[in-house]
Amino acid sequence: MTKWFMWMGLTMLTGSPLLSLAILAVLLFAADRFTLQVFPSPMRAFKRWQRAGELAGTILTNTHDRRARAELADIRVGQKRYQEAVDLLRPNLDAGDDDVDTLYLLGVAYLGAGDAPRGELLLTEAERLDADYRQGAIDLERGRFRLQRGDYKGAREALERFLQVRQGSVEGRVLLSRALDKEGLDVEAKETRDAAWREYAVAPRFQKRRDRWWAYRARPSRPLTYAAVALVLMGVGAYLTRYLPAHDTYGGYYDEPYATDDMGGDDAEE
């Protein structure tokens, strides 16, 4: 309601509902940067983009710089540009980089690029080197990509193993609920979504900031309800702003034109 009143006030000042909405969005984004930080940071995205350009230049100068290849591949995986990450990391593996970080990252890149057999094989090799790598990250990625390609049973098994290691993961529970849904286990899926929301509700603030979007996927009715209410209020506000009669501040004072042709009336003739 506070945001609606702010929008109404800006609309009355500017006379434009759309301009007021844009100004309000900028103000809310700026406020978010100094408080909850729900929205992604544009500066962080810019810095990653800038760093990716620097690394690409380094690789053009020295194609054998395996550290630059690995760092750029990690950025590309975060951007979901999986095939580029494969092309960057494959030379590292061929050159003998068979550490757990390289195997894991290349495995995820292969899975994202659609080569599931190679991706699964590389993740298995990474798991052999470090079964608890990043607190179950291997099983999380297995579950995520198995779910995408329709292997619901395999996704459920991987995600259940992941949640044994990281029990408070909202993301893991949401993904598991999707796998259960696809298997027709509606009751179990609902219980898992409810558990995801409970984990989010009791989490500390920094963790809520990280898991907020996954929590909303566990309870999609929440953001949809907020959006619907906001749209209704904005529509009502636009209607009122546009159609309410404007009151003339000087009403009644100048209803009659000046008597320019007869300034003095009857008295003037005398």
Side-chain angles (χ1 to χ4, degrees), residues 25-44 205 209 212:
V26 172
L27 292 175
L28 291 176
F29 185 84
D32 176 75
R33 287 292 86 207
F34 293 99
T35 54
L36 298 177
Q37 297 182 0
V38 176
F39 302 116
S41 170
M43 186 57 65
R44 184 179 303 171
R205 178 172 294 183
R209 186 164 59 244
R212 193 178 304 275

Side-chain angles (χ1 to χ4, degrees), residues 2 14 16 67 80 82 88 101 118 164 173 175 229:
T2 303
T14 63
S16 172
R67 182 176 297 178
K80 297 186 178 182
Y82 297 112
L88 286 164
D101 293 310
R118 287 186 183 181
Q164 289 176 1
R173 292 185 186 279
L175 291 174
V229 171

